[in-house]
Amino acid sequence: MKPQVRAEAETKPDGKKSPAKADKKKAQTRKPAGKKKAPPASRRRLAEAVTEHIVEIVSDSGEGAQRCGQSFGSIAARTGLGIWTVEIIPAEIQPPARSVAGASGNRVRLASRRIMNGGDEADLVVAFNEQVLLSRVRANELKPGCIILLESKWRDDPDPAIAQSYAEVTAELTAAGYRLHEIPMEEECVRFVPDTRRGKNMFALGMLCNIYSLDLALAQAQVRFAFRKKDEKIIDINLELLDAGYQWADANLDLKFAIKAARPRDPQIVVNGNTALALGVVGSGMEVCAMYPITPATSASHYLSDIFEKVGCVVHQAEDEISACAFAIGASYAGKCAVTITSGPGLSLKQEGIGLAVMAEIPLVVVDVQRGGPSTGQPTKAEQGDLLAACFGGHGDAPKIIMAAATIEDCFYSVITARKIAETFNMVVVVLTDASLATAQQPFPRPRFREDWLAPPIDQSAVPEDAKPYDWDPRTGMIERFIPGQPNGMHCLTGLAHDRASRVAYDPEVNEEGIRNRSLKLAAFQRTLKTPPVHGGDEGDLLLVGWGSTKGAIEEAVDRLRAEGKAVSSLHLKFLQPMASGIKEVLQRFDKVMTIENNWCDMPDGDLIDEYNRRYSSLAWLLRARHLIDIDCWGETRGQPIKPGRIAEIARGKLS
Amino acid sequence: MHAPRTECLLNLIDQEYAIRDYQSDIPPRWCTGCGDNAILTAIQRLCRDEQLPPEKTVFVSGIGCSSRLPHYMNAYGFHGLHGRAFPVAEGIKMRRPDLHVFVTTGDGDCCSIGAAHWIHAIRYNMDMTVLLHDNQIYGLTKMQASPTSPRGLKSNTTPRGTQLDPLNPLTVTLGVPNVSFVAQAADWIPDVLFDIISRAYHHKGFSFVRILQRCPEYLPHRFDSWVRDPASMRLLVHPEGLQLSAAISRTYRNQEVHDPSNLDRAREVASLTEEIPVGILYQNPEVPCYEDLREGERPNTPGLIRTVLDEEFEKFTIWPEDHDEVRAD
Ligand SMILES: Cc1ncc(C[n+]2csc(CCOP(=O)(O)OP(=O)(O)O)c2C)c(N)n1
Ligand code: SF4
Ligand SMILES: [Mg+2]
């Protein structure tokens, strides 16, 4: 809300900027206005205090449930609640209306503490028709007794099939013990907008704000922000709808919750993982992002395209991923370290280029926003299936650095770190995120830009006469790269085996010297890594090991298990290749170790799977190979974030 | 992140570059009589005549016999991946307009595995000089048919002759929107080859020169009839285009006055089958270059990055005092 208020303050006739004051005034004058119409009923109705709730809002796609959910999350965050939002994405781009496959919306988890994942089942669901609601019921996403706020207009639908379906579903859900509230949203909204497909979402937002005792003025500011690119009339209509929803819930619903907010001491920003990633690209000082559109990576490039030119930089949409990677390599070679952002299928296409960058020691940052695979797989769904492809996907011996972002905040800082490592070691750094981080929102402390995030200006000074482009340091394998424009540095870079002068060389010694040094750099880099901290206790019965977006869920599961008195801890790896020293010692302090990953592993429970043929989860393979410890694994490939409750259940099973 | 530092460039070298200053210490390893040698010579002559600083000149190639060329130049070279020379060169040029970028590529490299990049490179029209060494065969991998091989050519993968008509790199290039420079040369007319490469170099944009290049190793007689019969070569001349020396004019009497701005005629000439056009088929200096269209308005200084990031953060920020307002209620 801040920026709008400031913008208003700046246009004050006296020209004096007093944002803070203006802010307060606005907020105060707006609030009573909002509440005037309302009877003091809300004051009488006592809010039930809860520490957290999971709220879902689902509709046909195009009805705005996603915007409602995101706004709801932002308003909650602004009052100081911990939030984590998860997008509910339909399986198809243009799904038929009122279909189970078409459910689109958002899940918002609210809590009085900072939260790191989307949680388990929902406590309250707002649904615009019974079919989209059914999709959530079928997916077991609702708690027993979950509160349902359902659009009631379908009950009297002129199409008897629809009316019947509505009646059946509502009867079934009531019988199953869900607390169903039928709400005449259409009837209430039609007073403000002729096309309720665009507007009901703000009515729903108003209801939710009332139910969760959120401040109406904050909600109004958020609506203004969400529609900032629209004209004043549209904003007004949406404000009216918001208000109507708020008042309606106040007058008609006997539902009121209060979640105590923990006041954040520093400013926070609320963005999703892809936005954080794009901001990280800007912060890293990289000038070129070469990409080819692919879900779920695209939204990062969309946002970056919007802001990158403001800092004089370029998002280049290449003709394919092969070209995008080669373009980025060209820019990096010329001294302008570049990033290429993609998802699984694109990573496969980039592999030859990545191999060249490894061979020729050109810095390069590759971001893989993982989705379900193989092949086109599940474009919009979360999976951690690319770890091994990132480590070993290319041909030949191609050592590169693989790191994974575990939180939204991490998406921001990982790119900055990756650029630094890439340029220091002249290596390829692959940053793995995934569809669940890409679209999830969570507040994190507003970063303060630091100049040391950026690379120094490119060196165009003459290189010493006798220097060679691949003068591998015998201890670290590191080189000083020569950049076009540097006098005396002329050489022909090649993807062929080459000697220190970059001359093509096939003799056995020269070939091995190159391979050895490129490998040595990975070891040199590895020495800079710190052993990651253990969450929970330093030793115990069971250690859960994870990487990437599962961190929040795993740690929450560990907290619950420890609260039950179980000696369970977790370890989360940011660097997957190379891995920090000391991990083996951590693993050895626990009786049992298992990885929890959002990828496939065989479970040795059928007739066919045994220790000779079992395929492990990716990280489990890596840890078993590295540490010779009998590490177990559990994984899910359901296309959605793993829930803490499920992890806790698996861990209990492992302990018994 | 910033523009390249220029101080070091100010101590201008008063030394003049000679041909040998563009020769690397690696002797060319092409077969005797290989047309690539003539192309290398022409390029080194161009660099000398233009006095291109070797450190400011980059030769980008793919994979193939022809793509070995950067190794033989004393300049920056990028001998990368089969088919991917164009996107690499684009990436280089994008943020380094100060560099002179050349691309050397083969008929397999450009017209087969790199065909998608070729089409789009024409469209981007970035300022670079492109030399397609078209020997109508895969040389490096030992004689497989290429997309430009004549129909019926027997090769290791087509022992009974190819079944398809060849792709014509000239008509393809001329068919792409944004095309800005298309020429054809032959390795066996070195003076004209040089003149055409020089014109290509001076054109700002994607200057595409298809060079008919002899491969005595695998197609020893493929170009014989043209080499022996100057009348089979049609030289395109124009006051705005190629001009011939008296000596060349005497040998190559089959000439056509062709206005390089005439795209329709260029396409007709490019489609000739009985005769081989040599010269500048098309040139349009007005087509904008992608790197200019995409040039940032402001350099990305740390100060600017800070400002823009702060502006963006601002949009997403929750201030602790928001909270106060709620309490003030
Ligand atoms: C991805 C990939 N596929 C295949 C090859 C093998 N290869 C190298 S050069 C070449 C063809 C070269 O032909 P051309 O481009 O005409 O160059 P020439 O040798 O004739 O100059 C092939 C198929 C390779 N290096 N990389
Ligand atoms: S094989 Fe042909 S193209 Fe390759 S170097 Fe020999 S003559 Fe030249
Ligand atoms: Mg060839």
Side-chain angles (χ1 to χ4, degrees), chain A residues 184-234:
Chain A
M185 299 188 212
E186 175 89 7
E187 205 179 304
E188 293 295 322
C189 292
V190 78
R191 291 191 279 132
F192 307 98
V193 272
D195 176 10
T196 51
R197 277 178 65 81
R198 319 204 170 282
K200 224 182 258 183
N201 61 341
M202 288 298 117
F203 184 85
L205 180 63
M207 288 198 300
L208 287 174
C209 289
N210 183 278
I211 294 170
Y212 286 97
S213 319
L214 299 181
D215 184 60
L216 185 59
L218 275 184
Q220 288 163 338
Q222 181 63 37
V223 169
R224 283 178 195 283
F225 176 69
F227 291 94
R228 65 195 179 282
K229 290 182 181 160
K230 299 279 160 58
D231 65 42
E232 206 47 49
K233 225 178 97 201
I234 298 201

Side-chain angles (χ1 to χ4, degrees), chain A residues 377-624:
Chain A
Q378 300 206 85
T380 58
K381 306 283 183 174
E383 197 174 293
Q384 300 180 304
D386 298 350
L387 175 55
L388 298 180
C391 293
F392 311 118
H395 61 278
D397 185 59
K400 50 196 169 279
I401 291 160
I402 317 295
M403 59 193 286
T407 61
I408 311 296
E409 183 175 25
D410 236 12
C411 292
F412 177 80
Y413 289 105
S414 292
V415 194
I416 295 167
T417 311
R419 200 280 305 152
K420 273 196 175 187
I421 299 169
E423 290 213 88
T424 308
F425 290 86
N426 291 307
M427 288 186 89
V428 176
V429 181
V430 181
V431 179
L432 297 171
T433 76
D434 62 36
S436 63
L437 286 176
T439 54
Q441 283 189 306
Q442 182 210 24
F444 64 89
R446 175 172 162 151
R448 283 162 190 253
F449 172 75
R450 291 165 45 153
E451 279 194 26
D452 67 10
W453 290 353
L454 311 178
I458 72 168
D459 188 359
Q460 291 286 275
S461 61
V463 304
E465 290 283 356
D466 53 349
K468 297 198 176 82
Y470 294 98
D471 252 338
W472 291 297
D473 181 281
R475 235 170 34 84
T476 63
M478 288 165 73
I479 56 160
E480 290 242 10
R481 218 159 56 87
F482 301 164
I483 292 168
Q486 284 191 274
N488 303 337
M490 288 81 74
H491 66 283
C492 183
L493 173 148
T494 177
L496 288 162
H498 48 265
D499 65 11
R500 288 174 179 257
S502 194
R503 272 190 290 232
V504 178
Y506 297 131
D507 19 330
E509 286 73 28
V510 175
N511 187 48
E512 272 203 334
E513 187 185 25
I515 293 184
R516 181 186 321 112
N517 281 297
R518 290 188 296 272
S519 182
L520 201 54
K521 285 197 296 186
L522 205 62
F525 169 69
Q526 191 270 348
R527 292 302 182 103
T528 69
L529 297 177
K530 288 197 207 95
T531 314
V534 177
H535 179 84
D538 267 349
E539 49 179 47
D541 298 332
L542 174 63
L543 180 74
L544 305 177
V545 191
W547 62 281
S549 64
T550 49
K551 183 177 189 201
I554 294 175
E555 293 186 352
E556 185 167 333
V558 165
D559 293 344
R560 290 187 201 172
L561 293 161
R562 295 184 74 81
E564 291 167 15
K566 303 204 160 57
V568 179
S569 299
S570 67
L571 182 70
H572 211 76
L573 305 187
K574 179 173 192 64
F575 286 93
L576 285 317
Q577 179 172 282
M579 288 187 200
S581 301
I583 290 175
K584 181 172 193 166
E585 289 69 18
V586 174
L587 303 178
Q588 283 169 335
R589 291 200 294 268
F590 291 83
D591 281 353
K592 293 175 180 168
V593 180
M594 94 190 288
T595 71
I596 302 288
E597 302 179 55
N598 207 346
N599 57 37
W600 180 254
C601 63
D602 295 330
M603 295 310 282
D605 47 10
D607 289 343
L608 209 54
I609 306 300
D610 60 22
E611 62 177 310
Y612 297 104
N613 62 18
R614 180 181 186 196
R615 296 173 67 243
Y616 290 85
S617 280
S618 309
L619 178 60
W621 278 126
L622 295 177
L623 290 172
R624 290 173 67 89

Side-chain angles (χ1 to χ4, degrees), chain A residues 352, chain B residues 63-66 82 106-109 113 135 137-141:
Chain A
E352 195 195 14
Chain B
I63 300 291
C65 294
S66 40
H82 191 29
D107 42 316
D109 202 54
I113 191 169
N135 54 6
I137 194 79
Y138 286 9
L140 191 73
T141 44

Side-chain angles (χ1 to χ4, degrees), chain A residues 268 303 312 316 319 455 485, chain B residues 1 55 76 95 124 290 312 318:
Chain A
Q268 309 279 309
Y303 176 59
H316 170 63
E319 58 271 16
Chain B
M1 30 158 283
E55 70 272 15
Y76 279 88
R95 303 299 284 183
Y124 300 138
Y290 184 66
E312 292 307 311
I318 310 167

Side-chain angles (χ1 to χ4, degrees), chain A residues 23-62:
Chain A
D23 208 352
K24 284 229 162 102
K25 223 193 245 159
K26 284 251 153 56
Q28 279 162 1
T29 48
R30 242 185 254 137
K31 255 177 273 173
K35 286 192 176 161
K36 214 188 303 169
K37 281 179 272 165
S42 61
R43 305 265 154 87
R44 273 186 272 118
R45 194 155 37 106
L46 216 56
E48 180 188 338
V50 290
T51 53
E52 72 157 273
H53 247 213
I54 296 171
V55 179
E56 286 195 351
I57 160 150
V58 279
S59 68
D60 286 345
S61 72

